Amino acid sequence: MGAKELIQKKQENKQISATSNMNMLLQSMAGAIKKALPAQINSERFQRVALTAFSSNQKLQQCDPISFLAAMMQSAQLGLEPNTPLGQAYLIPYGKQVQFQVGYKGLLELAQRSGQFKSIYSHEVRENDEFEMEYGLNQKLVHKPNLKQERGEVIGYYACYHLTNGGESMFFMTKDEIINFGKSKSKTFNNGPWQTDFDAMAKKTVLKQLLKYAPLSIESQKFMSMDETVKSDISANMDEINNDTVDFEVDIQTGEVINDIVVENTNEDEAN
């Protein structure tokens, strides 16, 4: 067996060991996990989804196991499946911690569940589209995608909602504004969905800014507060567990975390 094969075999054994340890941890915490899960989520299914997400990502296997389970628990309590093609939610490793992040489709799902919205959506605007908008007492938005020629590069994104009671609102951001916002507000801008699915994250960003002005219920506000958080405990009410902050340095070339320091029990607000 050559050196390359030996290295590959060692990595496979390490991955099997990490997954086995996570499986044992899930079994030992089965009682606590069951108590923390919402009634509609089966404990066995939760464990299967958790193991699938864990075993398919080597960087997650290097993170603190409880941080991983806490992120999984947040996803389960919101009824969103993480790290799947659905794009509802993401478990993002950085340093030794795991950040839970709601995806664009997950944010739409949570908003629609409230029953307050007749419709809610977000779209990109391209340079050759016909686009006109006005803020003020009589808001106006006209967007006609150019279907007769190349639409050109994306120049911005907007989100709109129409409430069941007749109210409506909109919000627009240029692409540059969204990039600057992501870089300044998101700890994981250099990795994760910002890099693999920028379009969805841009739509989520403008939609979340719009929802700040929407008449959300207290329950919906709690759900929104769980986005982009790192936690180190599990509970039947994950929104009540304080968010951990992580100070870290990032390699500019690779986007990898060089080192990190966890500061527990803070209630720092996440901007997106």
Side-chain angles (χ1 to χ4, degrees):
M1 185 179 290
K4 185 176 180 180
E5 287 78 11
L6 285 171
I7 292 173
Q8 184 177 354
K9 186 68 174 178
K10 185 176 180 180
Q11 290 175 336
E12 289 175 352
N13 289 337
K14 186 176 181 180
Q15 182 175 351
I16 291 172
S17 176
T19 302
S20 178
N21 289 337
M22 175 55 67
N23 187 33
M24 287 190 290
L25 178 61
L26 285 167
Q27 296 299 324
S28 67
M29 295 183 64
I33 289 173
K34 188 174 182 178
K35 290 181 180 178
L37 286 172
Q40 68 272 21
I41 302 295
N42 180 276
S43 179
E44 288 71 23
R45 173 170 172 71
F46 172 85
Q47 293 184 44
R48 288 196 301 271
V49 173
L51 279 176
T52 298
F54 186 79
S55 62
S56 61
N57 190 318
Q58 291 187 1
K59 290 185 178 181
L60 284 177
Q61 296 166 23
Q62 299 168 12
C63 293
D64 174 60
I66 300 300
S67 176
F68 168 77
L69 288 181
M72 275 295 307
M73 187 61 68
Q74 290 188 87
S75 186
Q77 289 186 2
L78 292 181
L80 305 176
E81 290 210 359
N83 293 17
T84 71
L86 293 175
Q88 291 186 333
Y90 304 93
L91 308 181
I92 305 176
Y94 62 94
K96 297 298 181 183
Q97 305 302 307
V98 179
Q99 183 190 79
F100 170 71
Q101 190 171 117
V102 177
Y104 167 60
K105 292 183 179 177
L107 188 58
L108 280 178
E109 173 72 17
L110 293 175
Q112 289 166 344
R113 281 186 207 162
S114 70
Q116 295 172 291
F117 299 95
K118 183 178 180 180
S119 64
I120 182 168
Y121 50 89
S122 179
H123 290 295
E124 81 278 7
V125 180
R126 295 180 177 269
E127 58 186 349
N128 294 327
D129 290 349
E130 180 182 338
F131 183 72
E132 180 183 355
M133 63 170 293
E134 295 178 5
Y135 287 125
L137 294 178
N138 297 300
Q139 294 189 112
K140 176 183 178 182
L141 190 151
V142 176
H143 180 207
K144 296 181 180 180
N146 192 326
L147 304 179
K148 296 182 179 180
Q149 63 184 62
E150 289 293 325
R151 294 178 61 196
E153 296 295 321
V154 174
I155 59 173
Y157 293 82
Y158 67 90
C160 300
Y161 67 68
H162 303 268
L163 299 173
T164 55
N165 66 7
E168 59 185 37
S169 190
M170 64 183 185
F171 194 82
F172 174 82
M173 295 177 73
T174 66
K175 184 177 180 180
D176 287 341
E177 286 174 334
I178 288 174
I179 291 173
N180 291 333
F181 186 90
K183 286 181 177 179
S184 65
K185 302 298 183 181
S186 176
K187 296 183 177 70
T188 55
F189 183 84
N190 290 315
N191 62 334
W194 272 109
Q195 299 303 315
T196 61
D197 198 355
F198 177 85
D199 186 68
M201 290 303 293
K203 289 178 179 177
K204 173 201 166 183
T205 298
V206 70
L207 179 60
K208 193 168 181 181
Q209 297 309 301
L210 172 67
L211 289 174
K212 287 183 177 180
Y213 309 100
L216 297 177
S217 65
I218 294 176
E219 182 180 20
S220 294
Q221 291 176 37
K222 286 182 178 180
F223 288 163
M224 298 298 180
S225 71
M226 293 166 70
D227 186 27
E228 291 206 11
T229 56
V230 174
K231 304 196 177 189
S232 55
D233 197 4
I234 64 172
S235 164
N237 297 293
M238 289 301 296
D239 61 286
E240 296 178 358
I241 300 295
N242 288 329
N243 180 32
D244 293 344
T245 59
V246 181
D247 294 324
F248 58 90
E249 297 178 17
V250 176
D251 187 307
I252 296 176
Q253 299 298 322
T254 66
E256 297 291 326
V257 174
I258 300 172
N259 57 62
D260 58 280
I261 304 173
V262 178
V263 182
E264 298 184 352
N265 296 328
T266 67
N267 281 313
E268 180 185 88
D269 290 333
E270 296 297 335
N272 87 314

